Amino acid sequence: MFIKDLSKYKGEEVILKGWVSNRRDSKGLVFIVLRDGTGICQCVGDINILGDEVFNKAVSLGLESSLIVKGKVIEDERQIGGFEVQLSQINILQDVKNYPISKKEHGVDFLMDNRHLWLRSNRQWAIMKIRNQIIFSIHNFFQSEGFVQMDAPIFSGNACEGTSTLFETEYYGEPAYLSQSGQLYGEAMAMAMGKIYTFGPTFRAEKSKTRRHLSEFWMIEPEMAFFDIFDNMNLIESFLHFVIKDVLQNCQNELKIIDRNTEMLESSLAPFPRLTYDQAVKIIKGEKDVNGLNSITSLEQLLIETNDKFEKIKNEISDRELKIKTPGMKKGEINFNQNKIDQLKNDLKETEEELRNIPQWINSAKNFEYGNDFGGSDETVITRLYNSPIMVYDWPHEVKAFYLKRNPDDNRFARGVDVLAPEGYGEIVGGGERETNLEMLTAKIIEHKLPMEAFEWYLDLRRYGSVPHAGFGLGLERLVTWVCKLKHVRESIPFPRMYGRLLP
């Protein structure tokens, strides 16, 4: 019997096996929040039913104690999942004492060092459940659309886009690299199967500690024969709509646990705005408005509002700290105010970060140089004007990968497309139409100073039965980060690998 199935057993006795994720007691009652991997459920024990001995053990249970409990399923819409269990028996397998992760605030380094335990917390559990649903939805979409899943190698003898961010290793006495993308191999497989997708780990050796970067992450890379860039964009939009809708339908409890406001996800089920690079640059620089909003003036207004917010939070913290010092205040009220102070201090830190970032965004927008790729600030400036992801296509070919096709109407631009998520999350998809002209592709390999012999097999795809084709890559962790509205990508993967972290 699992917590996820409680709705089938309303009014019946059930046996549950799990761990204590929270516990409190009050006047002869003990409230145990039990987690079993499939869900979370409040279990209520009455001293008159359990007896003094079992009840006294239950009220002293530590976090993550393991139990087998028996009780009656009662409908209660106030509870996560809509049910609770009224206990008749508790069998304690292990009463855990001094569990390292407590209810108090812990620093990021401590939580990352204890990631193997942090994964058990309600919030991290919910994030991993949403990640799992996204993975299931991705496979479901592509399989239902007639794609064949195929696997690209992790060891590679050549770079996909240059060697500057590759992990080099030794392969039977020869240099090899950990894959940064399966895309080139995906093109070969699409020439055999028509429509394929790969789903596997990829590696980037970027010495970056930003909230968007991991050194090891999972990529979904479909490739489609006889597709151009516009077919590609249509598929990307349908794909993301499918996944977002699936999460909204199947992860309601988990989204509540992480306190995710779903309005932005719901509005993202509408068609995505599509902008050329030229149009996007004008919006970033404030030369073109979006629905009456200007990038520069709206940021300047945001800076004023954020300063006001900062002062209000500071004042509320001071007021509540004075309140706590009031003689005769009850313990419950002191605890309430202290918890509120802790929350406000977190809000203050976030607001301080916003006050540091907003001037940088304004400066970046005002001074953006045409022809450059978009940085994180530029992506934030433009996406905050929209209520859904946006697609930016036809980029200056100098800033895009060597294998992208040139726009036949204006060869200054490559037929690439980036999908930028709203709420400051930036790029989640990158793709485009592939170059099919053998001479032009050869010239680009030379221009990028890549070893020609390593790409002869790739050039064969243009020599023998070449067709128009396109594809894209989606970073799973970046999608999870946006869907869950996480502050850092490290929470989107069970055991993150990034610059400076290899354990646990």
Side-chain angles (χ1 to χ4, degrees):
M1 174 67 205
F2 298 103
I3 290 172
K4 70 179 178 66
D5 299 320
L6 286 178
S7 61
K8 302 174 186 176
Y9 298 91
K10 186 166 57 174
E12 297 182 30
E13 288 263 318
V14 298
I15 294 174
L16 297 175
K17 303 173 183 178
W19 299 266
V20 176
S21 66
N22 203 356
R23 177 199 50 75
R24 63 184 176 87
D25 60 271
S26 174
K27 297 179 181 178
L29 296 175
V30 61
F31 302 88
I32 297 170
V33 179
L34 196 72
R35 183 193 77 254
D36 74 349
T38 72
I40 295 168
C41 170
Q42 177 169 277
C43 302
V44 183
D46 188 323
I47 191 171
N48 297 312
I49 296 173
L50 296 175
D52 290 347
E53 183 180 354
V54 173
F55 181 83
N56 289 334
K57 289 181 179 178
V59 297
S60 65
L61 284 169
L63 292 178
E64 291 305 316
S65 295
S66 47
L67 311 175
I68 300 175
V69 302
K70 184 177 181 180
K72 187 177 181 180
V73 179
I74 303 296
E75 191 168 12
D76 185 346
E77 62 182 15
R78 297 170 301 175
Q79 305 302 324
I80 293 228
F83 294 89
E84 72 175 20
V85 173
Q86 293 183 348
L87 297 173
S88 56
Q89 293 180 21
I90 300 177
N91 179 16
I92 301 171
L93 300 180
Q94 185 187 38
D95 184 1
V96 172
K97 300 303 180 187
N98 302 317
Y99 183 65
I101 300 177
S102 63
K103 295 178 187 178
K104 70 175 185 177
E105 286 291 321
H106 291 288
V108 170
D109 286 339
F110 175 85
L111 291 171
M112 292 300 293
D113 289 342
N114 289 276
R115 183 63 173 167
H116 54 295
L117 301 177
W118 190 26
L119 282 170
R120 303 183 189 187
S121 70
N122 288 355
R123 177 178 170 81
Q124 299 304 313
W125 173 87
I127 293 167
M128 291 302 111
K129 291 286 284 188
I130 293 169
R131 176 190 170 101
N132 177 70
Q133 186 64 49
I134 289 173
I135 291 170
F136 179 82
S137 300
I138 288 168
H139 285 294
N140 197 7
F141 174 82
F142 286 117
Q143 292 293 330
S144 65
E145 292 289 324
F147 282 69
V148 177
Q149 183 185 0
M150 298 189 76
D151 301 309
I154 292 175
F155 283 123
S156 177
N158 59 276
C160 179
E161 300 174 17
T163 59
S164 61
T165 60
L166 282 172
F167 286 106
E168 185 172 346
T169 185
E170 187 254 340
Y171 189 78
Y172 301 115
E174 294 186 14
Y177 305 99
L178 297 182
S179 174
Q180 61 182 184
S181 169
Q183 184 242 305
L184 301 186
Y185 296 98
E187 290 187 50
M189 294 184 281
M191 296 305 106
M193 298 294 181
K195 295 192 297 185
I196 68 95
Y197 72 105
T198 64
F199 197 147
T202 49
F203 307 86
R204 298 282 171 97
E206 294 176 284
K207 291 183 177 180
S208 175
K209 286 191 174 183
T210 76
R211 61 180 58 193
R212 296 184 183 184
H213 284 90
L214 291 171
S215 297
E216 176 186 278
F217 53 97
W218 288 73
M219 286 280 285
I220 299 90
E221 297 182 284
E223 197 73 27
M224 298 76 65
F226 304 103
F227 267 50
D228 64 18
I229 187 174
F230 301 104
D231 299 320
N232 197 25
M233 288 194 284
N234 292 340
L235 182 74
I236 293 169
E237 185 176 282
S238 297
F239 163 60
L240 287 174
H241 281 169
F242 184 93
V243 173
I244 294 166
K245 186 177 180 181
D246 214 17
V247 170
L248 287 170
Q249 288 178 343
N250 295 294
C251 296
Q252 293 180 20
N253 290 337
E254 290 80 7
L255 291 166
K256 286 178 184 175
I257 288 171
I258 65 174
D259 199 25
R260 174 53 154 138
N261 184 324
T262 59
E263 288 181 7
M264 190 66 79
L265 296 178
E266 289 159 6
S267 66
S268 294
L269 296 176
F272 298 165
R274 300 184 184 188
L275 310 168
T276 64
Y277 174 85
D278 279 3
Q279 292 169 326
V281 169
K282 288 178 181 177
I283 292 169
I284 289 171
K285 292 177 70 66
E287 297 169 2
K288 181 180 179 181
D289 292 355
V290 176
N291 298 322
L293 287 175
N294 181 275
S295 65
I296 305 295
T297 57
S298 65
L299 282 170
E300 290 170 342
Q301 180 60 35
L302 179 64
L303 185 59
I304 294 169
E305 293 169 359
T306 306
N307 268 308
D308 291 342
K309 179 182 173 183
F310 181 79
E311 292 303 320
K312 285 178 183 177
I313 295 172
K314 270 181 35 177
N315 291 337
E316 187 175 351
I317 289 172
S318 297
D319 290 344
R320 289 186 182 276
E321 285 176 339
L322 283 172
K323 214 178 214 183
I324 285 177
K325 295 174 183 177
T326 304
M329 181 176 281
K330 292 180 180 179
K331 184 179 178 182
E333 194 174 354
I334 291 173
N335 290 338
F336 173 81
N337 278 285
Q338 186 58 58
N339 288 336
K340 193 68 178 175
I341 289 167
D342 292 340
Q343 292 172 13
L344 287 166
K345 285 182 176 178
N346 283 332
D347 293 343
L348 195 68
K349 285 181 183 178
E350 291 176 16
T351 309
E352 283 178 322
E353 185 176 356
E354 288 175 24
L355 288 174
R356 288 192 298 270
N357 288 335
I358 295 170
Q360 293 176 10
W361 298 341
I362 294 171
N363 183 63
S364 177
K366 286 180 175 179
N367 297 294
F368 184 84
E369 290 187 19
Y370 184 91
N372 287 348
D373 199 355
F374 291 173
S377 294
D378 309 310
E379 293 173 348
T380 298
V381 168
I382 189 168
T383 56
R384 63 181 299 275
L385 303 175
Y386 293 89
N387 292 321
S388 75
I390 65 171
M391 293 181 170
V392 181
Y393 67 100
D394 276 2
W395 292 75
H397 72 88
E398 294 89 351
V399 300
K400 288 299 177 185
F402 75 92
Y403 48 72
L404 286 178
K405 185 178 181 66
R406 298 284 185 90
N407 183 337
D409 298 321
D410 191 339
N411 69 3
R412 293 177 303 159
F413 300 102
R415 306 241 78 165
V417 57
D418 285 359
V419 179
L420 310 179
E423 303 175 285
Y425 284 89
E427 184 185 344
I428 53 174
V429 173
E433 187 176 348
R434 316 312 186 190
E435 181 58 72
T436 54
N437 182 287
L438 179 62
E439 288 72 26
M440 290 190 70
L441 189 57
T442 302
K444 290 298 287 185
I445 291 172
I446 294 169
E447 179 187 324
H448 283 253
K449 299 179 180 179
L450 298 171
M452 187 65 67
E453 65 279 5
F455 289 91
E456 284 299 335
W457 70 269
Y458 183 65
L459 294 173
D460 277 350
L461 304 179
R462 277 66 180 172
R463 295 182 179 114
Y464 307 114
S466 181
V467 300
H469 60 289
F472 63 89
L474 174 136
L476 174 63
E477 285 73 26
R478 286 196 177 186
L479 179 60
V480 172
T481 300
W482 169 57
V483 168
C484 295
K485 202 173 182 180
L486 307 179
K487 294 175 184 175
H488 199 294
V489 71
R490 63 186 163 224
E491 289 187 73
S492 66
I493 189 169
F495 291 95
R497 295 291 178 258
M498 53 197 183
Y499 182 54
R501 179 160 295 277
L502 188 59
L503 294 173

Short mmCIF file of all heavy atoms in Angstrom, two decimals, residues 265-312:
data_model
loop_
_atom_site.label_atom_id
_atom_site.label_comp_id
_atom_site.label_asym_id
_atom_site.label_seq_id
_atom_site.Cartn_x
_atom_site.Cartn_y
_atom_site.Cartn_z
N LEU A 265 3.23 29.33 -15.99
CA LEU A 265 3.20 28.06 -16.72
C LEU A 265 1.92 27.96 -17.53
O LEU A 265 1.93 27.49 -18.69
CB LEU A 265 3.30 26.89 -15.74
CG LEU A 265 4.60 26.78 -14.94
CD1 LEU A 265 4.54 25.61 -13.97
CD2 LEU A 265 5.81 26.64 -15.86
N GLU A 266 0.81 28.38 -16.94
CA GLU A 266 -0.47 28.32 -17.65
C GLU A 266 -0.48 29.25 -18.86
O GLU A 266 -0.95 28.89 -19.94
CB GLU A 266 -1.61 28.66 -16.69
CG GLU A 266 -1.86 27.58 -15.65
CD GLU A 266 -2.59 28.08 -14.42
OE1 GLU A 266 -3.00 29.26 -14.41
OE2 GLU A 266 -2.75 27.29 -13.47
N SER A 267 0.07 30.45 -18.71
CA SER A 267 0.12 31.38 -19.84
C SER A 267 1.09 30.91 -20.92
O SER A 267 1.00 31.32 -22.08
CB SER A 267 0.49 32.79 -19.37
OG SER A 267 1.81 32.84 -18.86
N SER A 268 2.01 30.02 -20.54
CA SER A 268 2.98 29.49 -21.51
C SER A 268 2.39 28.42 -22.41
O SER A 268 3.09 27.89 -23.29
CB SER A 268 4.20 28.92 -20.76
OG SER A 268 4.91 29.95 -20.10
N LEU A 269 1.11 28.10 -22.22
CA LEU A 269 0.43 27.17 -23.13
C LEU A 269 -0.09 27.88 -24.37
O LEU A 269 -0.59 27.24 -25.30
CB LEU A 269 -0.72 26.47 -22.39
CG LEU A 269 -0.30 25.58 -21.22
CD1 LEU A 269 -1.52 25.02 -20.51
CD2 LEU A 269 0.60 24.44 -21.69
N ALA A 270 0.02 29.21 -24.40
CA ALA A 270 -0.34 30.00 -25.59
C ALA A 270 0.82 29.93 -26.60
O ALA A 270 1.94 29.55 -26.24
CB ALA A 270 -0.62 31.44 -25.19
N PRO A 271 0.57 30.30 -27.86
CA PRO A 271 1.67 30.32 -28.85
C PRO A 271 2.82 31.21 -28.38
O PRO A 271 2.59 32.28 -27.80
CB PRO A 271 0.99 30.90 -30.10
CG PRO A 271 -0.45 30.56 -29.94
CD PRO A 271 -0.73 30.65 -28.47
N PHE A 272 4.05 30.78 -28.64
CA PHE A 272 5.22 31.55 -28.22
C PHE A 272 5.49 32.68 -29.22
O PHE A 272 5.48 32.44 -30.44
CB PHE A 272 6.47 30.65 -28.18
CG PHE A 272 6.41 29.51 -27.20
CD1 PHE A 272 7.32 28.47 -27.29
CD2 PHE A 272 5.47 29.49 -26.19
CE1 PHE A 272 7.29 27.42 -26.38
CE2 PHE A 272 5.42 28.44 -25.28
CZ PHE A 272 6.33 27.40 -25.38
N PRO A 273 5.76 33.89 -28.73
CA PRO A 273 6.20 34.96 -29.64
C PRO A 273 7.48 34.55 -30.36
O PRO A 273 8.38 33.93 -29.76
CB PRO A 273 6.45 36.13 -28.69
CG PRO A 273 5.61 35.84 -27.48
CD PRO A 273 5.64 34.36 -27.33
N ARG A 274 7.57 34.90 -31.66
CA ARG A 274 8.75 34.58 -32.46
C ARG A 274 9.35 35.87 -32.98
O ARG A 274 8.68 36.66 -33.65
CB ARG A 274 8.37 33.65 -33.62
CG ARG A 274 7.77 32.33 -33.13
CD ARG A 274 7.46 31.36 -34.26
NE ARG A 274 6.81 30.16 -33.75
CZ ARG A 274 6.55 29.07 -34.47
NH1 ARG A 274 6.90 29.04 -35.76
NH2 ARG A 274 5.94 28.04 -33.92
N LEU A 275 10.62 36.07 -32.66
CA LEU A 275 11.31 37.31 -33.01
C LEU A 275 12.59 36.98 -33.76
O LEU A 275 13.31 36.04 -33.41
CB LEU A 275 11.68 38.08 -31.74
CG LEU A 275 10.59 38.33 -30.69
CD1 LEU A 275 11.23 38.84 -29.41
CD2 LEU A 275 9.56 39.31 -31.21
N THR A 276 12.90 37.77 -34.77
CA THR A 276 14.22 37.67 -35.35
C THR A 276 15.22 38.32 -34.41
O THR A 276 14.85 39.09 -33.51
CB THR A 276 14.30 38.38 -36.72
OG1 THR A 276 14.08 39.78 -36.51
CG2 THR A 276 13.26 37.83 -37.69
N TYR A 277 16.48 38.02 -34.61
CA TYR A 277 17.54 38.63 -33.81
C TYR A 277 17.43 40.15 -33.89
O TYR A 277 17.54 40.85 -32.87
CB TYR A 277 18.90 38.16 -34.32
CG TYR A 277 20.09 38.83 -33.67
CD1 TYR A 277 20.62 38.36 -32.47
CD2 TYR A 277 20.71 39.93 -34.27
CE1 TYR A 277 21.72 38.97 -31.88
CE2 TYR A 277 21.82 40.54 -33.69
CZ TYR A 277 22.32 40.06 -32.50
OH TYR A 277 23.40 40.66 -31.93
N ASP A 278 17.22 40.68 -35.09
CA ASP A 278 17.11 42.14 -35.26
C ASP A 278 16.00 42.72 -34.39
O ASP A 278 16.18 43.75 -33.73
CB ASP A 278 16.84 42.48 -36.73
CG ASP A 278 18.11 42.46 -37.57
OD1 ASP A 278 19.18 42.14 -37.02
OD2 ASP A 278 18.03 42.76 -38.77
N GLN A 279 14.83 42.07 -34.40
CA GLN A 279 13.70 42.55 -33.60
C GLN A 279 14.02 42.48 -32.10
O GLN A 279 13.71 43.40 -31.33
CB GLN A 279 12.46 41.72 -33.91
CG GLN A 279 11.90 41.93 -35.31
CD GLN A 279 10.84 40.91 -35.67
OE1 GLN A 279 10.89 39.75 -35.25
NE2 GLN A 279 9.86 41.34 -36.47
N ALA A 280 14.66 41.39 -31.69
CA ALA A 280 14.98 41.20 -30.28
C ALA A 280 15.97 42.25 -29.78
O ALA A 280 15.83 42.78 -28.67
CB ALA A 280 15.55 39.79 -30.05
N VAL A 281 16.94 42.59 -30.61
CA VAL A 281 17.94 43.60 -30.22
C VAL A 281 17.26 44.96 -30.00
O VAL A 281 17.56 45.67 -29.04
CB VAL A 281 19.06 43.70 -31.27
CG1 VAL A 281 19.94 44.93 -31.01
CG2 VAL A 281 19.91 42.44 -31.24
N LYS A 282 16.34 45.31 -30.88
CA LYS A 282 15.62 46.59 -30.73
C LYS A 282 14.83 46.63 -29.43
O LYS A 282 14.76 47.66 -28.76
CB LYS A 282 14.69 46.81 -31.93
CG LYS A 282 15.43 47.15 -33.22
CD LYS A 282 14.47 47.31 -34.38
CE LYS A 282 15.24 47.64 -35.67
NZ LYS A 282 14.33 47.74 -36.84
N ILE A 283 14.25 45.49 -29.05
CA ILE A 283 13.49 45.42 -27.79
C ILE A 283 14.43 45.56 -26.60
O ILE A 283 14.16 46.30 -25.64
CB ILE A 283 12.69 44.10 -27.73
CG1 ILE A 283 11.57 44.12 -28.78
CG2 ILE A 283 12.11 43.89 -26.32
CD1 ILE A 283 10.90 42.78 -28.97
N ILE A 284 15.56 44.85 -26.64
CA ILE A 284 16.53 44.92 -25.54
C ILE A 284 17.03 46.35 -25.33
O ILE A 284 17.11 46.83 -24.20
CB ILE A 284 17.71 43.96 -25.80
CG1 ILE A 284 17.27 42.50 -25.65
CG2 ILE A 284 18.88 44.26 -24.84
CD1 ILE A 284 18.30 41.50 -26.10
N LYS A 285 17.34 47.03 -26.42
CA LYS A 285 17.91 48.38 -26.33
C LYS A 285 16.85 49.45 -26.05
O LYS A 285 17.17 50.63 -25.94
CB LYS A 285 18.65 48.71 -27.63
CG LYS A 285 19.91 47.87 -27.82
CD LYS A 285 20.59 48.15 -29.16
CE LYS A 285 21.22 49.51 -29.20
NZ LYS A 285 22.36 49.64 -28.26
N GLY A 286 15.59 49.04 -25.94
CA GLY A 286 14.53 50.00 -25.63
C GLY A 286 14.05 50.78 -26.84
O GLY A 286 13.35 51.79 -26.70
N GLU A 287 14.40 50.32 -28.05
CA GLU A 287 13.99 51.03 -29.28
C GLU A 287 12.62 50.56 -29.76
O GLU A 287 12.04 51.17 -30.66
CB GLU A 287 15.04 50.79 -30.38
CG GLU A 287 16.41 51.36 -30.03
CD GLU A 287 17.50 50.89 -30.99
OE1 GLU A 287 17.17 50.14 -31.94
OE2 GLU A 287 18.67 51.26 -30.77
N LYS A 288 12.10 49.49 -29.16
CA LYS A 288 10.79 48.97 -29.53
C LYS A 288 10.11 48.45 -28.27
O LYS A 288 10.73 47.74 -27.47
CB LYS A 288 10.94 47.85 -30.57
CG LYS A 288 9.63 47.24 -31.04
CD LYS A 288 9.89 46.15 -32.07
CE LYS A 288 8.57 45.52 -32.51
NZ LYS A 288 8.78 44.43 -33.50
N ASP A 289 8.83 48.79 -28.07
CA ASP A 289 8.08 48.36 -26.89
C ASP A 289 7.38 47.03 -27.14
O ASP A 289 7.16 46.63 -28.28
CB ASP A 289 7.03 49.42 -26.51
CG ASP A 289 7.66 50.71 -26.01
OD1 ASP A 289 8.90 50.75 -25.86
OD2 ASP A 289 6.90 51.67 -25.77
N VAL A 290 7.04 46.37 -26.04
CA VAL A 290 6.26 45.13 -26.10
C VAL A 290 5.00 45.34 -25.27
O VAL A 290 5.07 45.49 -24.05
CB VAL A 290 7.07 43.94 -25.54
CG1 VAL A 290 6.19 42.68 -25.52
CG2 VAL A 290 8.32 43.71 -26.35
N ASN A 291 3.85 45.38 -25.96
CA ASN A 291 2.56 45.60 -25.28
C ASN A 291 2.61 46.81 -24.35
O ASN A 291 2.15 46.77 -23.20
CB ASN A 291 2.17 44.35 -24.48
CG ASN A 291 1.98 43.13 -25.37
OD1 ASN A 291 1.46 43.25 -26.48
ND2 ASN A 291 2.40 41.97 -24.88
N GLY A 292 3.22 47.90 -24.85
CA GLY A 292 3.29 49.14 -24.08
C GLY A 292 4.39 49.19 -23.05
O GLY A 292 4.54 50.20 -22.34
N LEU A 293 5.19 48.12 -22.95
CA LEU A 293 6.30 48.09 -21.98
C LEU A 293 7.62 48.33 -22.69
O LEU A 293 7.89 47.73 -23.74
CB LEU A 293 6.34 46.74 -21.27
CG LEU A 293 5.26 46.45 -20.22
CD1 LEU A 293 5.40 45.02 -19.72
CD2 LEU A 293 5.38 47.41 -19.04
N ASN A 294 8.44 49.17 -22.10
CA ASN A 294 9.77 49.45 -22.63
C ASN A 294 10.81 48.82 -21.71
O ASN A 294 10.73 48.95 -20.48
CB ASN A 294 9.99 50.97 -22.73
CG ASN A 294 11.34 51.32 -23.28
OD1 ASN A 294 12.33 51.39 -22.57
ND2 ASN A 294 11.38 51.55 -24.59
N SER A 295 11.80 48.17 -22.28
CA SER A 295 12.78 47.43 -21.47
C SER A 295 13.51 48.34 -20.49
O SER A 295 13.68 47.99 -19.32
CB SER A 295 13.79 46.72 -22.38
OG SER A 295 14.57 47.66 -23.10
N ILE A 296 13.93 49.52 -20.94
CA ILE A 296 14.74 50.41 -20.10
C ILE A 296 13.88 51.08 -19.02
O ILE A 296 14.20 51.02 -17.82
CB ILE A 296 15.44 51.49 -20.95
CG1 ILE A 296 16.27 50.85 -22.07
CG2 ILE A 296 16.32 52.37 -20.05
CD1 ILE A 296 17.42 50.01 -21.63
N THR A 297 12.79 51.72 -19.44
CA THR A 297 11.97 52.45 -18.47
C THR A 297 11.31 51.52 -17.46
O THR A 297 11.16 51.89 -16.29
CB THR A 297 10.90 53.29 -19.18
OG1 THR A 297 10.08 52.44 -19.99
CG2 THR A 297 11.54 54.36 -20.05
N SER A 298 10.94 50.32 -17.89
CA SER A 298 10.33 49.37 -16.95
C SER A 298 11.35 48.89 -15.92
O SER A 298 11.01 48.66 -14.75
CB SER A 298 9.71 48.18 -17.69
OG SER A 298 10.70 47.41 -18.35
N LEU A 299 12.60 48.75 -16.33
CA LEU A 299 13.65 48.37 -15.39
C LEU A 299 13.94 49.51 -14.41
O LEU A 299 14.17 49.26 -13.22
CB LEU A 299 14.93 47.99 -16.14
CG LEU A 299 14.97 46.60 -16.77
CD1 LEU A 299 16.18 46.46 -17.68
CD2 LEU A 299 14.98 45.51 -15.70
N GLU A 300 13.94 50.73 -14.90
CA GLU A 300 14.16 51.88 -14.02
C GLU A 300 13.05 51.99 -12.98
O GLU A 300 13.31 52.29 -11.80
CB GLU A 300 14.27 53.15 -14.86
CG GLU A 300 15.56 53.21 -15.68
CD GLU A 300 15.59 54.34 -16.70
OE1 GLU A 300 14.50 54.88 -17.01
OE2 GLU A 300 16.68 54.68 -17.18
N GLN A 301 11.81 51.71 -13.40
CA GLN A 301 10.69 51.70 -12.45
C GLN A 301 10.83 50.56 -11.46
O GLN A 301 10.56 50.71 -10.26
CB GLN A 301 9.37 51.59 -13.22
CG GLN A 301 8.12 51.58 -12.34
CD GLN A 301 7.98 52.83 -11.49
OE1 GLN A 301 8.33 53.93 -11.93
NE2 GLN A 301 7.47 52.68 -10.27
N LEU A 302 11.26 49.39 -11.96
CA LEU A 302 11.47 48.23 -11.09
C LEU A 302 12.52 48.54 -10.03
O LEU A 302 12.39 48.12 -8.87
CB LEU A 302 11.91 47.02 -11.91
CG LEU A 302 12.19 45.73 -11.14
CD1 LEU A 302 10.93 45.21 -10.45
CD2 LEU A 302 12.77 44.66 -12.06
N LEU A 303 13.56 49.29 -10.39
CA LEU A 303 14.61 49.65 -9.43
C LEU A 303 14.04 50.51 -8.30
O LEU A 303 14.36 50.29 -7.12
CB LEU A 303 15.73 50.39 -10.16
CG LEU A 303 16.96 50.75 -9.32
CD1 LEU A 303 17.60 49.49 -8.73
CD2 LEU A 303 17.98 51.50 -10.17
N ILE A 304 13.17 51.45 -8.64
CA ILE A 304 12.53 52.29 -7.62
C ILE A 304 11.67 51.43 -6.69
O ILE A 304 11.74 51.55 -5.45
CB ILE A 304 11.66 53.38 -8.28
CG1 ILE A 304 12.55 54.36 -9.06
CG2 ILE A 304 10.82 54.11 -7.24
CD1 ILE A 304 11.77 55.31 -9.95
N GLU A 305 10.87 50.53 -7.27
CA GLU A 305 9.98 49.68 -6.47
C GLU A 305 10.78 48.73 -5.58
O GLU A 305 10.39 48.47 -4.44
CB GLU A 305 9.07 48.88 -7.41
CG GLU A 305 8.06 49.74 -8.16
CD GLU A 305 7.35 48.97 -9.26
OE1 GLU A 305 7.66 47.77 -9.44
OE2 GLU A 305 6.49 49.57 -9.95
N THR A 306 11.90 48.24 -6.10
CA THR A 306 12.72 47.30 -5.33
C THR A 306 13.39 48.01 -4.15
O THR A 306 13.53 47.44 -3.07
CB THR A 306 13.76 46.62 -6.23
OG1 THR A 306 13.10 46.03 -7.35
CG2 THR A 306 14.51 45.51 -5.48
N ASN A 307 13.81 49.25 -4.35
CA ASN A 307 14.37 50.04 -3.24
C ASN A 307 13.33 50.23 -2.15
O ASN A 307 13.63 50.10 -0.96
CB ASN A 307 14.85 51.40 -3.76
CG ASN A 307 16.32 51.38 -4.17
OD1 ASN A 307 17.17 50.96 -3.40
ND2 ASN A 307 16.59 51.83 -5.38
N ASP A 308 12.09 50.54 -2.55
CA ASP A 308 11.00 50.70 -1.58
C ASP A 308 10.76 49.40 -0.83
O ASP A 308 10.57 49.40 0.40
CB ASP A 308 9.72 51.15 -2.29
CG ASP A 308 9.81 52.57 -2.83
OD1 ASP A 308 10.71 53.30 -2.37
OD2 ASP A 308 8.99 52.92 -3.69
N LYS A 309 10.75 48.29 -1.56
CA LYS A 309 10.54 46.97 -0.96
C LYS A 309 11.63 46.66 0.06
O LYS A 309 11.36 46.16 1.15
CB LYS A 309 10.53 45.90 -2.06
CG LYS A 309 10.34 44.48 -1.58
CD LYS A 309 10.41 43.51 -2.76
CE LYS A 309 10.39 42.07 -2.31
NZ LYS A 309 10.52 41.13 -3.46
N PHE A 310 12.87 47.00 -0.28
CA PHE A 310 14.01 46.76 0.60
C PHE A 310 13.82 47.49 1.93
O PHE A 310 14.02 46.92 3.01
CB PHE A 310 15.29 47.22 -0.09
CG PHE A 310 16.54 47.00 0.71
CD1 PHE A 310 17.13 45.75 0.79
CD2 PHE A 310 17.14 48.06 1.39
CE1 PHE A 310 18.28 45.55 1.54
CE2 PHE A 310 18.30 47.87 2.13
CZ PHE A 310 18.86 46.61 2.21
N GLU A 311 13.42 48.76 1.85
CA GLU A 311 13.23 49.55 3.07
C GLU A 311 12.07 49.00 3.91
O GLU A 311 12.15 48.96 5.15
CB GLU A 311 12.97 51.02 2.71
CG GLU A 311 14.17 51.73 2.11
CD GLU A 311 15.39 51.69 3.03
OE1 GLU A 311 15.23 51.85 4.26
OE2 GLU A 311 16.51 51.51 2.51
N LYS A 312 11.00 48.58 3.27
CA LYS A 312 9.84 48.02 4.00
C LYS A 312 10.22 46.74 4.74
O LYS A 312 9.82 46.53 5.88
CB LYS A 312 8.69 47.75 3.02
CG LYS A 312 7.97 49.00 2.57
CD LYS A 312 6.86 48.67 1.57
CE LYS A 312 6.19 49.94 1.07
NZ LYS A 312 5.16 49.64 0.04
#
